[in-house]
Amino acid sequence: MRENKVSIVAIVCGIIFLLAAGYFAVTMTMEKVSEPEKDYLIVGTNTPFPPFELKNNDRIVGLDIDLAERIAKAMGKKLIIKDFTEFDALLPMLQTGELDMVISAVTIREDRDEVVDFSDSYYDISQGILIKNGSNLNFSNPCNPEDFVGLRIAYQEGTTSQLWVEENLIGRVKISEPTVFDDFAFALQLLKLGAVDAILLDAPVAESFAKSNPDLVVAGTIETGEEYGVVVENGDPKNLLPAINKVIAEMKTSGEYQKLLEKWFGGGK
Ligand code: ARG
């Protein structure tokens, strides 16, 4: 009789133990599922680069940001935008795993493709030449390397503008030592003060700066046939590209993308 009692107590204790273990196992897995970083899509960008990414008071807005918002929504995640002071830092930051995605008017290039992965393209651009209104500089159309002889040009570090200058001007035509910058706000001041003659940058952004700075004007464009893509870590270990490409394709067929162009370019392209 006594032995029976002991074994009943042992069984009840065993059941309680198993239930408790089960309960903790469930709560532990639930906690795992709701780990904060899994709910967020952490995206890096570099402002100001209007109308793709710019600051409106303290908010970061733009065509790229709307696109990132739409991608996060499709993934059921909240968007966190991190604005880096250097465009050049974005791709290395992806490689450390600190960012999930980069959306920053990044041109798809084979050499970049070796260290990161790109989505399908979402925007086509040329390079543009931004100068001070009234400076009597002449650029042929299409622009010719000779047009830059004697000029003090500037470009953002690590961009395709820099590559164009290196491939087409350096060692070929006589130009002054180029000015390399990180921050466009600073570069526009250099141009306005006459410290540089021309800034080379993505043409739609040159147009946008000229629109908001009446003392600046786009003097010419260079057909480089560039296309923007969303960037993820090399090999896409987080498997984000299928969802990103799906959003881009769906937005294009549904007309939503056209609306985005109208919103940021007023009329679209
Ligand atoms: N499209 C050029 C490149 O990929 C310039 C991009 C600069 N973007 C920016 N948000 N500042 O090199």
Side-chain angles (χ1 to χ4, degrees):
M1 194 56 185
R2 217 201 144 96
E3 265 173 24
N4 263 355
K5 242 194 189 162
V6 171
S7 55
I8 287 171
V9 170
I11 289 168
V12 170
C13 284
I15 291 172
I16 291 172
F17 174 77
L18 287 176
L19 286 177
Y23 170 77
F24 284 118
V26 169
T27 47
M28 271 167 66
T29 46
M30 277 177 33
E31 262 170 29
K32 261 221 166 110
V33 170
S34 58
E35 259 178 21
E37 63 265 36
K38 296 228 171 84
D39 290 341
Y40 295 108
L41 183 70
I42 304 174
V43 177
T45 198
N46 166 248
T47 68
F49 208 64
F52 297 97
E53 38 269 339
L54 57 141
K55 275 195 185 141
N56 187 348
N57 297 321
D58 269 346
R59 281 188 56 227
I60 301 166
V61 297
L63 189 150
D64 278 349
I65 310 307
D66 281 351
L67 183 56
E69 196 73 68
R70 182 66 176 65
I71 291 167
K73 196 175 156 207
M75 293 176 175
K77 297 181 184 216
K78 280 199 200 92
L79 181 68
I80 296 183
I81 296 280
K82 293 194 175 174
D83 188 11
F84 286 75
T85 48
E86 295 165 13
F87 172 75
D88 216 15
L90 292 173
L91 302 194
M93 285 307 284
L94 254 188
Q95 290 169 276
T96 67
E98 210 153 307
L99 297 174
D100 297 316
M101 203 170 96
V102 163
I103 188 156
S104 198
V106 183
T107 301
I108 302 171
R109 284 181 56 92
E110 262 175 36
D111 52 357
R112 289 176 174 170
D113 208 13
E114 280 166 20
V115 287
V116 292
D117 274 9
F118 284 99
S119 72
D120 294 336
S121 75
Y122 65 91
Y123 201 79
D124 300 345
I125 62 128
S126 309
Q127 287 295 306
I129 305 151
L130 190 64
I131 61 168
K132 205 167 146 180
N133 212 346
S135 46
N136 49 11
L137 297 176
N138 286 313
F139 291 91
S140 33
N141 198 5
C143 174
N144 175 338
E146 296 295 325
D147 300 340
F148 290 92
V149 170
L151 296 189
R152 295 163 304 163
I153 53 174
Y155 50 74
Q156 190 183 30
E157 172 110 70
T159 56
T160 48
S161 312
Q162 169 168 9
L163 293 172
W164 190 87
V165 172
E166 285 171 355
E167 281 162 20
N168 298 278
L169 304 183
I170 308 279
R172 294 182 187 224
V173 297
K174 257 194 149 20
I175 52 165
S176 304
E177 179 74 28
T179 300
V180 188
F181 60 86
D182 287 315
D183 181 5
F184 269 99
F186 168 73
L188 297 189
Q189 291 313 315
L190 291 183
L191 189 57
K192 290 179 186 202
L193 291 169
V196 298
D197 299 309
I199 301 175
L200 196 68
L201 73 166
D202 297 10
V205 181
E207 291 291 353
S208 176
F209 280 138
K211 223 182 199 175
S212 51
N213 296 271
D215 48 344
L216 302 180
V217 57
V218 180
T221 53
I222 307 164
E223 293 297 329
T224 48
E226 295 175 58
E227 296 179 4
Y228 291 166
V230 178
V231 201
V232 298
E233 207 178 328
N234 203 14
D236 191 21
K238 295 172 183 161
N239 195 31
L240 304 176
L241 281 182
I244 297 172
N245 285 334
K246 194 163 169 241
V247 167
I248 294 174
E250 278 175 6
M251 287 179 78
K252 283 186 179 165
T253 44
S254 69
E256 200 184 332
Y257 192 72
Q258 189 56 35
K259 286 213 185 95
L260 206 60
L261 295 183
E262 277 156 26
K263 171 177 172 189
W264 292 104
F265 287 99
K269 176 178 120 157

